[in-house]
């Protein structure tokens, strides 16, 4: 009798407690490897520890191009992740993918969360915002090109480690001294199109493409073969012939050569800072990008790089609620500030920047504010950024043409003219495919 009563009591207790709520898993595909991959995993784990209703499951899907290709294929197959990281080059493609994505602003408001686009850093949020003012994706890891340099190498070459070159003529002079001191790779660059053409254009307040660099319509066409662009590529070509500039490959291949100490100066992503801080064995300096002092209005502002998080369509309402909660968590000033300080990516919100500034972080880590200062200058229609269709293919074309210049087999003007012609063919294809 006692056993029956105990069983009844246990059953009653279980029914009173109600059915256990299952945890909703949210797949998050990303392209962050190494130290940045650890950062992504930590963000997911920290969020998961704050509640029990949702579980963010991050999965590395290869490089940015590989991840985007995988995401598009997965959507067509009906098994896309809830959240996917897409680099800025894929923004126009994602915007044109009708029905494939759900705007972040809608996801947040549908979940009942307060969503105010004005709290985000304008230059960052603006890039991922539609003409109607609706934010389409979450500006997760936004970077901008900066000038990295090895202070120890500067000392060895007789250069002042606290006075990095500010102009391109000064970069050439510094490179010559570094070479004379025995350095075999005085200067290199990663992401050639992004640093030497796209951002170079904005930094000097000249167009990279017509229609305000693509923001004004799909009928934009490339315009980076002006006398100023040709002059710059000619200067880099001359530096390459003299051993002052050493091309290390496409995308971010040059990053490792700077972190190892092989190359003394580099233009590349501000997000490299976290890797250098962790793995570099030398005095590290960060400075603003070089510019040509005779160009009126230069320097202007740099443009966005990195990636944003896109919410894929076709998911259940509960999954969207979890995504909204996660994005809301990432936007918290303390979380966003910690990410900025850890990685070198730009702060997502104004509050994160102010919190970092008040903490004394920039005084303790000179140079980490360079990326922010370069981005918060007043932008113009020529310097807002570049948003083009088939942008990944255009960058590949630029790499192909300029590699001939670095080898000494192509003339700079011929290479740029050809890149513009071939790139415009890609833009025409994209325009025809997305007329609506």
């Amino acid at each position: 009798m006692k056993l029956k009563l105990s069983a009844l009591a246990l059953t009653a207790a279980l029914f009173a407690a109600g059915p256990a709520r299952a945890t909703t898993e949210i797949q998050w595909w990303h392209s962050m490897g190494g130290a940045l991959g650890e950062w992504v995993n930590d963000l997911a784990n920290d969020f998961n520890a704050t509640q029990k209703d949702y579980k963010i499951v991050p999965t590395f899907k290869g490089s940015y191009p590989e991840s985007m290709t995988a995401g598009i294929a997965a959507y067509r197959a009906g098994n896309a992740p809830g959240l996917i990281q897409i680099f800025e080059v894929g923004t126009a493609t994602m915007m044109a993918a009708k029905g494939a994505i759900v705007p972040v602003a809608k996801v947040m408001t549908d979940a009942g969360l307060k969503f105010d686009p004005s709290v985000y850093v304008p230059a960052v949020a603006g890039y991922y915002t539609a003409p109607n003012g609706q934010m389409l994706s979450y500006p997760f890891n936004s970077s901008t090109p900066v000038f990295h340099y090895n202070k120890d190498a500067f000392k060895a070459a007789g250069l002042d480690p606290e006075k990095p070159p500010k102009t391109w003529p000064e970069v050439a002079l510094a490179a010559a001294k570094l070479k004379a001191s025995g350095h075999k790779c005085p200067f290199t660059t990663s992401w050639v199109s992004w640093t030497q053409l796209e951002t170079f254009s904005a930094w000097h307040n000249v167009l990279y493409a017509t229609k305000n660099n693509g923001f004004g319509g799909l009928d934009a066409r490339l315009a980076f073969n002006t006398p100023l662009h040709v002059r710059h590529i000619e200067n880099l070509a001359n530096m390459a012939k003299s051993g002052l500039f050493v091309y290390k490959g496409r995308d971010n291949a040059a990053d490792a050569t700077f972190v190892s100490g092989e190359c003394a100066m580099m233009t590349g992503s501000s997000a490299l800072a976290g890797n250098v801080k962790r793995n570099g064995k030398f005095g590290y300096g960060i400075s603003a990008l070089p510019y040509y002092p005779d160009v009126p209005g230069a320097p202007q502002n740099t443009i966005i790089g990195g990636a944003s998080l896109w919410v894929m369509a076709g998911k259940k309402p509960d999954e969207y609620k979890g995504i909204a909660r996660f994005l809301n968590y990432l936007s918290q000033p303390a979380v966003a500030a910690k990410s900025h300080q850890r990685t070198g990516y730009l702060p997502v919100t104004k509050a994160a920047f102010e919190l970092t500034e008040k903490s004394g972080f920039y005084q303790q880590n000179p140079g980490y504010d360079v990326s922010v200062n370069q981005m918060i200058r007043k932008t113009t229609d020529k310097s807002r950024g570049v948003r083009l269709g088939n942008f990944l293919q255009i960058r590949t074309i630029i790499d192909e043409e300029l590699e001939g210049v670095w080898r000494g087999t192509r003339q700079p003007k011929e290479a740029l003219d050809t890149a513009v012609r071939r790139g415009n063919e890609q833009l025409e294809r994209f325009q025809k495919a997305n007329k609506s």
Side-chain angles (χ1 to χ4, degrees):
M1 189 67 177
K2 286 182 178 179
L3 287 173
K4 287 183 179 179
L5 286 172
S6 297
L8 287 169
L10 178 61
T11 302
L14 288 172
F15 275 105
R21 179 185 173 92
T23 300
T24 300
E25 285 198 356
I26 298 163
Q27 296 297 320
W28 175 19
W29 288 6
H30 67 87
S31 299
M32 301 280 92
L36 292 175
E38 294 175 11
W39 165 57
V40 164
N41 290 334
D42 287 345
L43 285 174
N45 291 334
D46 291 346
F47 169 74
N48 292 340
T50 66
Q51 44 74 52
K52 296 181 179 180
D53 293 333
Y54 308 101
K55 182 180 180 182
I56 299 292
V57 182
T59 302
F60 177 72
K61 298 298 287 188
S63 66
Y64 280 141
E66 290 169 343
S67 181
M68 186 169 84
T69 301
I72 293 172
Y75 172 74
R76 289 171 179 165
N79 58 358
L83 205 56
I84 186 169
Q85 181 190 33
I86 300 290
F87 60 161
E88 93 286 4
V89 175
T91 299
T93 298
M94 296 300 285
M95 288 178 68
K98 307 296 183 185
I101 63 102
V102 183
V104 160
K106 176 174 168 49
V107 172
M108 300 292 277
T109 53
D110 284 354
L113 294 172
K114 183 181 178 182
F115 183 69
D116 181 5
S118 69
V119 306
Y120 298 92
V121 175
V124 175
Y127 189 86
Y128 300 112
T129 298
N132 65 1
Q134 185 181 49
M135 190 184 290
L136 300 175
S137 62
Y138 181 84
F140 174 60
N141 60 308
S142 298
S143 59
T144 199
V146 295
F147 187 80
H148 305 274
Y149 69 102
N150 184 323
K151 290 187 175 183
D152 292 350
F154 268 47
K155 290 177 184 176
L159 294 164
D160 188 338
E162 303 307 321
K163 292 184 178 179
K166 300 294 183 185
T167 67
W168 280 109
E170 289 174 0
V171 170
L173 290 173
K177 289 190 176 181
L178 286 161
K179 183 185 178 184
S181 71
H183 230 287
K184 294 183 179 179
C185 178
F187 170 73
T188 190
T189 187
S190 63
W191 300 106
V192 170
S193 175
W194 183 44
T195 60
Q196 306 308 318
L197 289 176
E198 297 160 35
T199 300
F200 174 85
S201 299
W203 199 225
H204 291 82
N205 201 31
V206 296
L207 287 173
Y208 173 88
T210 62
K211 291 284 181 175
N212 295 334
N213 293 323
F215 280 84
L218 295 182
D219 54 342
R221 296 296 180 262
L222 301 173
F224 54 74
N225 56 346
T226 70
L228 175 62
H229 292 99
V230 172
R231 166 190 171 189
H232 179 54
I233 299 304
E234 283 178 345
N235 288 339
L236 289 178
N238 290 331
M239 287 178 66
K241 289 177 186 176
S242 305
L244 305 182
F245 163 50
V246 181
Y247 176 65
K248 289 295 184 178
R250 300 183 185 185
D251 302 339
N252 67 341
D255 288 2
T257 66
F258 178 78
V259 177
S260 69
E262 178 188 348
C263 295
M265 301 184 292
M266 190 187 90
T267 48
S269 171
S270 58
L272 183 62
N275 190 357
V276 179
K277 193 173 182 181
R278 177 174 174 175
N279 300 308
K281 307 299 182 185
F282 52 84
Y284 175 42
I286 308 172
S287 185
L289 286 180
Y291 63 97
Y292 288 101
D294 61 323
V295 176
Q300 176 58 39
N301 63 275
T302 54
I303 59 176
I304 200 171
S308 64
L309 301 183
W310 292 79
V311 182
M312 301 303 288
K315 301 301 172 183
K316 295 179 180 179
D318 203 42
E319 192 167 349
Y320 287 128
K321 287 180 182 178
I323 290 172
R325 288 271 297 275
F326 178 53
L327 298 181
N328 192 57
Y329 172 79
L330 295 180
S331 298
Q332 292 178 12
V335 175
K338 184 179 178 181
S339 290
H340 163 54
Q341 295 166 28
R342 177 174 175 174
T343 65
Y345 283 117
L346 293 163
V348 175
T349 65
K350 299 172 188 174
F353 171 63
E354 292 166 359
L355 189 61
T356 301
E357 194 170 39
K358 289 177 183 176
S359 73
F361 178 81
Y362 296 131
Q363 284 73 29
Q364 298 162 15
N365 299 271
Y368 270 66
D369 59 340
V370 167
S371 60
V372 183
N373 290 329
Q374 286 185 163
M375 286 289 292
I376 62 176
R377 296 166 185 258
K378 183 180 180 182
T379 59
T380 69
D381 287 339
K382 297 177 181 178
S383 69
R384 180 181 173 190
V386 180
R387 196 159 71 189
L388 301 170
N390 288 343
F391 207 169
L392 178 59
Q393 293 90 326
I394 291 170
R395 278 189 173 178
T396 299
I397 288 168
I398 289 169
D399 283 334
E400 291 172 353
E401 296 300 330
L402 290 184
E403 280 168 352
V405 175
W406 314 142
R407 289 193 303 267
T409 60
R410 296 289 300 276
Q411 291 299 312
K413 187 176 188 309
E414 176 193 6
L416 290 179
D417 286 344
T418 305
V420 165
R421 177 181 57 76
R422 292 178 61 197
N424 281 339
E425 291 171 359
Q426 292 293 329
L427 290 176
E428 288 166 12
R429 288 196 191 103
F430 188 82
Q431 183 184 0
K432 288 177 181 178
N434 296 279
K435 283 184 178 179
S436 60

